[in-house]
Amino acid sequence: MREKDSSPSRGKLTYEASEDIPVNPTSNATFGEIVQRRFNRREVLRGTLAVTAMGAIAGPIAFGGRQAKANGPAFTFTEIEHGVDTTHHVAPGYKAEVLLRWGDPLFPDSPAFDPRNQSAAAQLKQFGYNNDYIGFLPLPEGSGASDRGLLCVNHEYTNEELMFPGIERQDRDREFADMTKEMVEVEMAAHGGTVVEVRKSGGTWAVVLDSQYNRRISAYETPIKISGPAAGHDRMKSAQFASGNYTIGTINNCAGGMTPWGTYLMAEENFHGYFWGDIANNPEKVNYERYGVPGQWYAWGKYVDRFNLEKDPRSANQFGWIVEVDPLDPNATPIKRTALGRFKHEGAETIVNGDGRVVIYSGDDQRFDYLYKFVTEGRYDPGNKAANRDLLDKGTLYVARFDDDGSATWLPLVHGKGPLTAANGFKSQADVVIETRRAADLLGATPMDRPEDVQPNPRNGKVYVMLTNNSKRKADQVNAANPRPENLFGHIVELTPPDGDHAAEKVTWDFLVKCGDPSKAEVGATWNPKTSEHGWFAAPDNCTFDSLGRLWISTDQGSAWSLSGTADGLFGIETEGETRAYSKMFFRVPVGAELCGPIFTPDDRSLFLAVQHPASDGTKEFPGFERRSTFDDAATRWPDFKDDMPPRPSVVVVTKDDGGPIAT
Ligand code: FEO
Ligand code: CA
Ligand code: CA
Ligand code: CA
């Protein structure tokens, strides 16, 4: 995510972009006084759970004809060295090739990338900036193919100082003085998403430029429909789009997900950062303040009325949603599904429940914010695509409360239930979804340490919650699931739905790992003191499962990589058996980048990775460079390494030298 420049010194914690955002003001469940009591009980519970888990995996776990060992490290690759330098690294025996770079053509008539003369028109025909989520949809539809498919890629945000020559990082203190209207339009065109066909031939992946499916979705010009409980509501009516049923654009698309019916979900995360204007007299003041609107991270409000709340008071209500896209129909209008709530959605990962209902997990990535799930009312019908089309419009949104007895309760965010009534400003379900955070506050949800990707394991139904970090948590604010004050390195929580029922309102939970240096008591020991050959990892952010049901996590430390001593990367982490929580680094990004979007093809033989914002975060801590990178003076020019080419966020594809499945 976009990191605030706070003049860091080496070793000082400087990440967490939202330093200036007011954090959750509520004091839900500050269980400081009961944590010790809970842990005594939980040690007992852990013993019980361990027996259950071991019982469930007795013998080798056999999936897809291959076997993962139950009692030894399941990831059979040699870990790479931790560290930081100007390029990427992958485990020995693998190759990592750059497949798509910012500015690469997506259509036969795309203009050649000319970063010194970029225009919105060119950018709309080229791969966008800061690739984040990657989905892989096999082609032909339903084939399960691993050598041809659509990549669905989010473009989360832009770094003006790395995109435009002669420009330093801009901010509101200097009123974004150097940003022209043309630059803002390029930024808007570089946001959103890309759908692009890719094919593997002779062991090498390439983009299919003349594919009928290729498209760009942007913040600049893409019409987007609004559906679900908030559609057409007065609070959704902006000055420009007065029906409340449409808007233009999607912003800050971080992680996401693919649905079982083949659509692509784009999560709108830090939407607050795009708005300007004084909200003292804004009718949405209370609502906006809970989200940090207006964040003024960008100059957009200077030139585009819908990002200026003085000109368009309610337009910020049209952002902060999950957007559903049909990648097989490039003419289909993307849809904001308001039933899934409005917050800083990190992602939207889906699982089909045993009864056919579909469950979507989503974290709200801010310090002290919450974990959500949505359960559809209707059931997924694998044989009837049309019947699945609007499944995401009806269902129940829940927020999680974690208790000290090792259980968690999913609290329904339903108008009329409990405090969600007109007396508290919730006159309908539209109000509940528009002000999801405030509704969740009233229900007593558990404030978490920045919930990022939330991934159900399709093999065993357990759910993994990435909690990046929370340097602001005080000792009297710890709770059962977030037990460390000043949590610099984050942790991973594992949810176990009863009998695999993801619709259940009560589940059990445990820690998979508390990240940090296990030799240093001051950061809190890892839950499992086992660590990798070369060190430990911090700041779990995105994650995925391979077809063996093994968990892979990517990290986002921001400038704080200097505390762990390594750039971000991809780690395999064991979830079962004696080596539970043991991790190994498989891939490492160049200086300043974070890693996003890990996704395997169905055969595990190709792994797509999104290297986001190379040369951006923490180059002030990079020995020998020690300043903020710009287009003209960058800590790395990855991946081109040409003097006239700025660093470029890019999708990398990893394959094994012998062509076999990865990490087996
Ligand atoms: Fe876009 Fe929560 O990182
Ligand atoms: Ca991220
Ligand atoms: Ca992040
Ligand atoms: Ca994921």
Side-chain angles (χ1 to χ4, degrees):
M1 64 152 65
R2 188 176 171 97
E3 185 171 71
K4 190 177 184 239
D5 186 356
S6 52
S7 304
S9 58
R10 187 172 310 166
K12 183 164 166 264
L13 183 75
T14 57
Y15 58 133
E16 300 187 299
S18 314
E19 294 292 340
D20 54 341
I21 304 170
V23 297
N24 184 349
T26 61
S27 56
N28 286 342
T30 50
F31 298 119
E33 72 286 359
I34 60 173
V35 165
Q36 196 55 48
R37 185 157 51 85
R38 170 180 190 276
F39 269 83
N40 294 337
R41 285 215 297 274
R42 281 187 54 74
E43 292 298 340
V44 178
L45 182 70
R46 269 180 61 77
T48 316
L49 284 176
V51 169
T52 312
M54 291 301 286
I57 58 159
I61 307 167
F63 295 128
R66 285 176 283 137
Q67 293 191 333
K69 291 185 211 136
N71 291 310
F75 294 96
T76 53
F77 64 84
T78 304
E79 181 172 38
I80 60 171
E81 290 212 19
H82 295 198
V84 59
D85 63 17
T86 57
T87 194
H88 67 272
H89 300 270
V90 69
Y94 294 84
K95 60 175 189 271
E97 295 175 310
V98 176
L99 176 64
L100 264 168
R101 299 164 290 189
W102 165 49
D104 275 355
L106 297 172
F107 305 94
D109 64 345
S110 296
F113 183 52
D114 180 358
R116 291 188 177 274
N117 295 289
Q118 182 64 317
S119 68
Q123 181 64 76
L124 290 170
K125 293 193 167 188
Q126 298 165 338
F127 194 59
Y129 205 77
N130 272 345
N131 34 218
D132 198 303
Y133 175 77
I134 306 174
F136 180 84
L137 184 69
L139 286 178
E141 187 182 5
S143 65
S146 291
D147 58 358
R148 184 186 165 211
L150 297 180
L151 292 186
C152 302
V153 185
N154 283 350
H155 301 294
E156 188 187 16
Y157 70 99
T158 49
N159 292 72
E160 63 279 1
E161 75 281 10
L162 293 169
M163 291 175 71
F164 304 109
I167 296 286
E168 301 279 335
R169 172 63 73 98
Q170 304 286 298
D171 59 45
R172 61 187 165 205
D173 296 339
R174 291 188 295 129
E175 297 178 341
F176 300 89
D178 301 324
M179 294 303 291
T180 63
K181 183 163 184 282
E182 289 69 29
M183 287 177 186
V184 164
E185 288 174 350
V186 169
E187 289 184 322
M188 294 174 74
H191 274 68
T194 290
V195 177
V196 61
E197 183 175 339
V198 290
R199 274 190 206 235
K200 188 164 118 182
S201 152
T204 301
W205 284 92
V207 167
V208 181
L209 275 188
D210 59 358
S211 169
Q212 63 178 306
Y213 301 112
N214 294 359
R215 85 181 283 188
R216 275 299 320 280
I217 292 160
S218 77
Y220 182 60
E221 59 160 18
T222 308
I224 310 224
K225 195 179 161 198
I226 296 167
S227 74
H233 192 277
D234 282 348
R235 298 178 73 182
M236 296 293 285
K237 293 176 179 171
S238 70
Q240 189 175 0
F241 304 103
S243 74
N245 290 308
Y246 281 91
T247 189
I248 291 279
T250 178
I251 49 177
N252 212 264
N253 305 95
C254 189
M258 299 299 291
T259 65
W261 51 95
T263 58
Y264 155 38
L265 302 179
M266 309 169 75
E268 292 188 318
E269 194 192 8
N270 290 302
F271 65 93
H272 67 291
Y274 297 80
F275 293 91
W276 274 33
D278 184 346
I279 61 163
N281 298 311
N282 192 297
E284 300 289 342
K285 183 170 185 288
V286 171
N287 159 22
Y288 285 171
E289 284 178 344
R290 183 63 180 82
Y291 294 98
V293 172
Q296 297 191 88
W297 287 0
Y298 290 99
W300 298 13
K302 201 169 181 176
Y303 302 111
V304 183
D305 287 358
R306 69 179 182 279
F307 294 104
N308 182 341
L309 296 169
E310 288 172 39
K311 294 184 173 167
D312 201 342
R314 294 198 197 269
S315 62
N317 281 343
Q318 296 182 341
F319 298 87
W321 305 102
I322 295 293
V323 185
E324 185 174 16
V325 177
D326 182 356
L328 292 170
D329 180 0
N331 298 312
T333 304
I335 304 172
K336 297 199 180 190
R337 299 288 186 185
T338 66
L340 279 69
R342 174 171 169 266
F343 49 92
K344 296 178 187 174
H345 286 275
E346 167 74 19
E349 295 282 10
T350 297
I351 193 161
V352 180
N353 203 36
D355 60 9
R357 286 183 290 170
V358 177
V359 180
I360 295 124
Y361 290 94
S362 197
D364 183 349
D365 179 16
Q366 191 164 335
R367 293 183 296 260
F368 303 106
D369 262 291
Y370 306 135
L371 175 67
Y372 296 86
K373 75 172 179 184
F374 178 78
V375 182
T376 61
E377 185 182 294
R379 293 173 207 292
Y380 167 59
D381 182 348
N384 185 352
K385 199 175 173 186
N388 304 319
R389 191 182 309 270
D390 294 318
L391 270 182
L392 300 186
D393 279 344
K394 283 195 180 141
T396 306
L397 180 65
Y398 296 88
V399 66
R401 188 191 70 217
F402 289 83
D403 290 320
D404 68 319
D405 63 355
S407 73
T409 300
W410 288 103
L411 309 161
L413 288 148
V414 173
H415 173 249
K417 272 202 173 183
L420 305 184
T421 59
N424 288 314
F426 299 100
K427 294 191 203 117
S428 68
Q429 188 64 17
D431 290 329
V432 173
V433 294
I434 289 168
E435 292 189 80
T436 302
R437 280 187 172 181
R438 200 168 66 78
D441 294 342
L442 292 173
L443 292 182
T446 298
M448 309 294 284
D449 289 344
R450 297 187 56 200
E452 301 251 20
D453 211 349
V454 185
Q455 195 89 31
N457 183 344
R459 290 292 181 184
N460 65 10
K462 291 188 185 229
V463 181
Y464 294 86
V465 184
M466 307 296 118
L467 296 155
T468 292
N469 52 44
N470 186 349
S471 60
K472 299 275 160 125
R473 193 180 288 279
K474 304 272 193 308
D476 64 356
Q477 292 176 304
V478 299
N479 61 51
N482 303 273
R484 293 190 292 186
E486 203 185 336
N487 180 6
L488 300 183
F489 302 114
H491 58 288
I492 299 175
V493 163
E494 176 189 69
L495 307 179
T496 305
D499 303 318
D501 180 9
H502 291 269
E505 295 196 352
K506 199 109 177 164
V507 302
T508 56
W509 65 273
D510 199 354
F511 295 105
L512 172 61
V513 64
K514 294 182 203 161
C515 306
D517 182 346
S519 69
K520 296 229 172 88
E522 66 269 23
V523 299
T526 48
W527 184 261
N528 182 333
K530 292 188 188 76
T531 187
S532 69
E533 188 178 339
H534 293 298
W536 40 280
F537 74 90
D541 187 343
N542 294 146
C543 59
T544 196
F545 285 98
D546 61 25
S547 72
L548 294 175
R550 299 179 304 183
L551 180 59
W552 297 78
I553 61 171
S554 62
T555 63
D556 173 18
Q557 304 166 96
S559 306
W561 65 260
S562 55
L563 301 182
S564 71
T566 188
D568 285 315
L570 186 74
F571 295 79
I573 181 164
E574 310 286 351
T575 57
E576 304 290 353
E578 290 172 5
T579 53
R580 179 174 158 90
Y582 188 104
S583 65
K584 287 204 293 192
M585 192 180 214
F586 180 74
F587 180 88
R588 204 175 93 198
V589 298
V591 62
E594 72 175 271
L595 189 66
C596 310
I599 194 86
F600 289 88
T601 49
D603 66 1
D604 290 342
R605 288 167 198 265
S606 301
L607 164 65
F608 297 96
L609 300 170
V611 176
Q612 195 188 55
H613 61 70
S616 174
D617 293 355
T619 58
K620 287 182 178 176
E621 285 77 20
F622 187 39
F625 191 77
E626 294 166 351
R627 52 198 180 270
R628 179 183 274 286
S629 292
T630 62
F631 182 107
D632 306 292
D633 178 26
T636 178
R637 295 197 175 272
W638 187 91
D640 304 279
F641 296 106
K642 289 182 184 156
D643 289 345
D644 59 349
M645 194 56 83
R648 293 206 270 175
S650 301
V651 170
V652 166
V653 59
V654 176
T655 51
K656 204 172 183 179
D657 289 343
D658 68 7
I662 288 167
T664 61

